[in-house]
Amino acid sequence: MTMSPPAVLPTPGAATASAAGPVRLLLDADDDRTVHQAACRWADASRGRITADPTPHTTSPAYLALDVLRAMGRLGFSREGAERMSTDPAWRAVTCWSLVTGVREVIVLRAHRLTVERLRRLAAWRAETGIRLTLLAHTPQPADVRRLTEQLAAANLTDVVHVKGTAAILGAIGPAAAGRRTGPPPPDHAQLLPAVPRASVAAFRAQCWRRQNGADFTRTDAQYRAGYAAARTWWARTLPLKPPTGSGGAEEADRPAEFTEPTAFGLRETEALRLFLSRLTVLSPSPQHTVARVRGAQAGLLTCAVLLNVPDDLNHCAGPGIATVPLTGRTVHTITTRLPSPLRAAAIAALLCTGTATPLLAMTQITSVGDQATHIAIDRDGRVNIGAPPAPRHLYAIPPRARPLLAAALEFRRRTPRTAPAHGLFANCFGTTPRLQALIADAGLPVPALDHPHTCGDWHTAARAWHLHTPAPPAPHVLPRLGPVRP
């Protein structure tokens, strides 16, 4: 039994749908194979053009939504044992992926077999996204054309243009997509760093220079220098508030600068620091890269009279750069192909790029996602200790490739009935062990955060910083290279 279709209400997308042009009905009276091939070769999902081929011998609107998702390259539901989506969630997923990935033109084959309910779903999709819809009917008889015209009118698709004749149909479809890419992107290769010493920021670079050969030190020092420059740039752009200096009495004014007590970062500065450290390390290929970048950031902030303290052994902690996986093009392709649900795709991407424990990530609310889906801010202390003074939130940077996934999940949640901004974003994704296991099985990707014990929490949330109140020593924005001579 199928659900009754929702009413197509006037929305802002309706004006966009009208601007995209009328619905084109291509009447292929000869059932020419060339027309079918031209429609398939015209499609290119990376350029916002898809061709949906409805599954034969079914009239379910849910199957049509899955066929559209398949045309977008999301094939995960077709595997045995994969989680299924019902009609309404499947069509919400179609709408959200269309808005996020920029689908602009759609051709639907076998239009003569579409029911009124399926056409209403297509009409709602067109009204919400503004796609240019083309329907291709094969071997239509006069009675079939009349019936299809009546069904289109019943589905509120009244602006229909009929195209007849093979030549006219081929001209309406257009040329085949040039340079269309198929299959996953090539695997990414990152050259791993050797073991780095467990040294403080004062001795880290010198010990790497002594213990590593020339090639290894060059790669390690490149990460160190990147962290150094990033920290100085971040501090210059952050415009931190001037820390309090006390009561401001005459005794304090006469006190030498070297006797002034360091001032710990405030709430807003601590959150900004956590977000910076997450952005610095979220794409680290290995923990060694993370350690080198963090030591460089410590050195860079020290030249700005800021002392940054992080856990001594980052490998025992979780968090960005330690229990994460770089969101490469191949990884994102795997996620979007195997997980057609926007919520589940965003959930596995968040696990891979935050490296935190699932109970903490389950606290993510819809309002926790920042503008343009650039970061996630989880108020753990505020939810666990209700009524306590505000504490710094847990902030995690979202790499650029994962932002469309998070944006699609947000759009999906906002379009779900009875949803409030304070509701959980990843509810029902990994809240229970069976749901989490099903998600990992469907994704088919290793998740280091699940194997980490998380005994020490996330390292960037344990970082602390202080203003030193000393004149910042003159330092170059980019560190000079060390010479080839070793002590």
Side-chain angles (χ1 to χ4, degrees):
M1 179 180 297
T2 57
M3 299 179 60
S4 59
V8 182
L9 301 177
T11 60
T16 308
S18 300
V23 178
R24 298 184 302 173
L25 179 59
L26 311 183
L27 301 175
D28 182 17
D30 300 327
D31 195 14
D32 197 330
R33 184 179 180 183
T34 306
V35 173
H36 186 280
Q37 292 178 344
C40 294
R41 293 172 180 172
W42 164 88
D44 188 353
S46 63
R47 294 183 174 92
R49 306 186 309 189
I50 62 173
T51 298
D53 190 1
T55 302
H57 310 299
T58 179
T59 59
S60 169
Y63 269 94
L64 180 59
L66 299 181
D67 293 330
V68 175
L69 290 173
R70 183 186 294 110
M72 295 181 184
R74 286 148 178 84
L75 313 173
F77 54 83
S78 61
R79 300 193 321 277
E80 183 178 358
E83 185 173 275
R84 307 296 180 180
M85 287 190 294
S86 58
T87 302
D88 286 343
W91 279 105
R92 281 199 298 272
V94 168
T95 300
C96 296
W97 286 127
S98 302
L99 293 172
V100 171
T101 59
V103 174
R104 300 182 302 275
E105 299 180 74
V106 178
I107 294 179
V108 180
L109 305 179
R110 310 177 198 272
H112 57 291
R113 295 183 179 273
L114 295 177
T115 62
V116 175
E117 187 170 357
R118 284 185 159 199
L119 290 172
R120 282 175 176 165
R121 294 285 181 172
L122 292 175
W125 177 30
R126 173 175 177 255
E128 292 179 352
T129 61
I131 59 172
R132 185 183 184 187
L133 182 60
T134 300
L135 304 176
L136 179 56
H138 308 274
T139 63
Q141 301 298 322
D144 296 332
V145 175
R146 288 193 301 270
R147 179 182 57 84
L148 184 56
T149 302
E150 294 173 357
Q151 290 178 336
L152 290 172
N156 292 334
L157 292 174
T158 55
D159 54 337
V160 181
V161 175
H162 293 202
V163 179
K164 300 179 181 179
T166 302
I169 291 175
L170 293 177
I173 293 176
R180 181 173 54 183
R181 293 173 296 178
T182 58
D188 299 277
H189 174 71
Q191 194 168 13
L192 299 180
L193 295 181
V196 294
R198 287 188 56 184
S200 64
V201 59
F204 178 81
R205 195 182 188 211
Q207 289 196 20
C208 289
W209 186 45
R210 293 187 182 99
R211 298 181 183 182
Q212 297 177 354
N213 58 41
D216 290 343
F217 175 74
T218 299
R219 295 196 300 272
T220 304
D221 193 48
Q223 301 297 318
Y224 183 93
R225 290 153 58 89
Y228 177 92
R232 288 178 58 89
T233 302
W234 169 76
W235 186 250
R237 293 178 178 177
T238 300
L239 298 177
L241 296 176
K242 184 177 181 180
T245 56
S247 59
E251 295 181 359
E252 186 172 350
D254 296 336
R255 186 182 303 171
E258 58 267 18
F259 294 102
T260 304
E261 291 290 337
T263 304
F265 272 25
L267 176 65
R268 189 169 65 178
E269 289 178 317
T270 301
E271 290 185 347
L273 175 67
R274 291 179 177 182
L275 186 56
F276 161 70
L277 294 176
S278 179
R279 286 173 176 166
L280 179 66
T281 58
V282 67
L283 294 177
S284 293
S286 69
Q288 291 78 15
H289 288 77
T290 299
V291 173
R293 294 180 186 182
V294 171
R295 295 305 183 203
Q298 288 181 280
L301 290 177
L302 201 57
T303 63
C304 303
V306 173
L307 177 63
L308 172 61
N309 186 20
V310 298
D312 293 335
D313 191 358
L314 298 182
N315 291 321
H316 283 131
C317 302
I322 303 297
T324 57
V325 173
L327 267 295
T328 62
R330 192 179 185 89
T331 302
V332 173
H333 178 271
T334 302
I335 294 174
T336 55
T337 300
R338 298 176 67 93
L339 298 173
S341 170
L343 290 182
R344 304 182 81 220
I348 196 68
L351 277 174
L352 293 176
C353 66
T354 61
T356 190
T358 52
L360 178 62
L361 197 58
M363 296 182 182
T364 306
Q365 299 175 340
I366 297 176
T367 54
S368 300
V369 182
D371 295 337
Q372 307 299 322
T374 57
H375 66 275
I376 293 176
I378 304 174
D379 186 11
R380 175 187 178 277
D381 297 330
R383 297 188 62 180
V384 174
N385 305 314
I386 301 176
R393 297 169 297 172
H394 295 240
L395 282 96
Y396 300 89
I398 303 300
R401 284 193 176 99
R403 292 170 190 171
L405 306 182
L406 211 59
L410 286 174
E411 192 69 26
F412 188 91
R413 274 294 183 213
R414 289 165 182 161
R415 291 173 178 270
T416 302
R418 298 179 296 276
T419 298
H423 287 179
L425 178 61
F426 302 128
N428 299 328
C429 289
F430 42 71
T432 61
T433 301
R435 296 288 295 172
L436 178 60
Q437 292 176 347
L439 175 64
I440 302 306
D442 288 347
L445 291 170
V447 183
L450 299 181
D451 300 329
H452 200 282
H454 294 279
T455 55
C456 301
D458 298 340
W459 69 270
H460 73 304
T461 61
R464 299 292 182 268
W466 294 267
H467 298 278
L468 297 181
H469 304 298
T470 58
H477 187 68
V478 179
L479 283 174
R481 298 184 182 275
L482 297 180
V485 180
R486 303 177 186 276

